[in-house]
């Protein structure tokens, strides 16, 4: 006599039970890495290009808007030597020092130390490097 039965679920193997701790450990590692990355980015969100909530504060967002204005001014300036003067005209940015190197060549650069007046945080200073091809990079420094 032939017996037929309907199987609705297969019995759980021991392998599936051993997989959960590995999944939980991998998830914890990913969350830990994300937390550490967010903490590092929060030290200078404007420099890392992450000036948005929850990493950046309102003062960081205001500083990012001013840095965007600095970048557009640097790109539209006639030459590297005119960049510090063009920034000083805006009134929102104070150029503390400027060092122009090889202004006439394509390899030239301008290293500036600028100060922003940021609402809620007082003032912030950045070192800004403008290279001959209008590439702008910056980092936060103490005033």
């Amino acid at each position: 006599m032939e017996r037929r039965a309907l199987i609705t679920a297969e019995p759980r193997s021991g392998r599936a039970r051993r997989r959960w701790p590995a999944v939980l450990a991998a998830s914890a590692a990913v969350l830990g890495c994300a937390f550490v990355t967010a903490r590092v980015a929060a030290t200078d969100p404007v420099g890392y290009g992450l000036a948005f909530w929850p990493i950046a504060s309102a003062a960081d967002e205001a500083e990012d808007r001013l840095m965007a204005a600095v970048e557009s001014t640097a790109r539209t300036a006639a030459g590297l030597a005119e960049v510090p003067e063009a920034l000083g005209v805006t009134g929102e940015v104070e150029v503390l020092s400027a060092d122009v190197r090889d202004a006439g060549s394509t390899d030239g650069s301008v290293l500036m130390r600028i100060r922003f007046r940021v609402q809620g945080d007082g003032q912030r200073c950045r070192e800004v490097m403008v290279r001959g091809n209008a590439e702008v990079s910056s980092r936060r420094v103490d005033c």
Side-chain angles (χ1 to χ4, degrees):
M1 168 150 72
E2 197 175 311
R3 182 174 171 205
R4 296 184 184 223
L6 178 64
I7 300 174
T8 58
E10 298 217 8
R12 294 183 70 185
S13 66
R15 210 167 130 192
R17 288 185 195 143
R18 287 189 302 265
R19 202 175 301 152
W20 277 105
V23 169
L24 290 176
S27 299
V30 167
L31 286 175
C33 288
F35 178 75
V36 169
T37 302
R39 294 281 296 183
V40 169
T43 60
D44 186 11
V46 176
Y48 288 112
L50 300 171
F52 54 83
W53 185 89
I55 296 172
S57 64
D60 292 328
E61 292 172 2
E63 182 180 3
D64 186 49
R65 283 191 296 275
L66 288 172
M67 272 305 295
V70 167
E71 289 177 14
S72 68
T73 301
R75 288 190 176 108
T76 58
L80 289 175
E82 285 82 29
V83 172
E85 294 170 12
L87 289 176
V89 171
T90 63
E92 296 176 318
V93 178
E94 180 183 353
V95 179
L96 301 175
S97 66
D99 182 22
V100 181
R101 296 181 184 158
D102 298 328
S105 72
T106 58
D107 295 333
S109 64
V110 178
L111 178 64
M112 298 177 292
R113 189 178 194 96
I114 59 176
R115 181 184 311 163
F116 299 110
R117 303 268 183 238
V118 181
Q119 201 171 34
D121 203 24
Q123 63 184 7
R124 290 192 178 177
C125 294
R126 296 191 79 79
E127 280 185 352
V128 178
M129 171 72 81
V130 181
R131 291 185 184 84
N133 56 358
E135 181 183 331
V136 180
S137 60
S138 69
R139 70 181 182 120
R140 187 181 291 173
V141 294
D142 291 332
C143 289

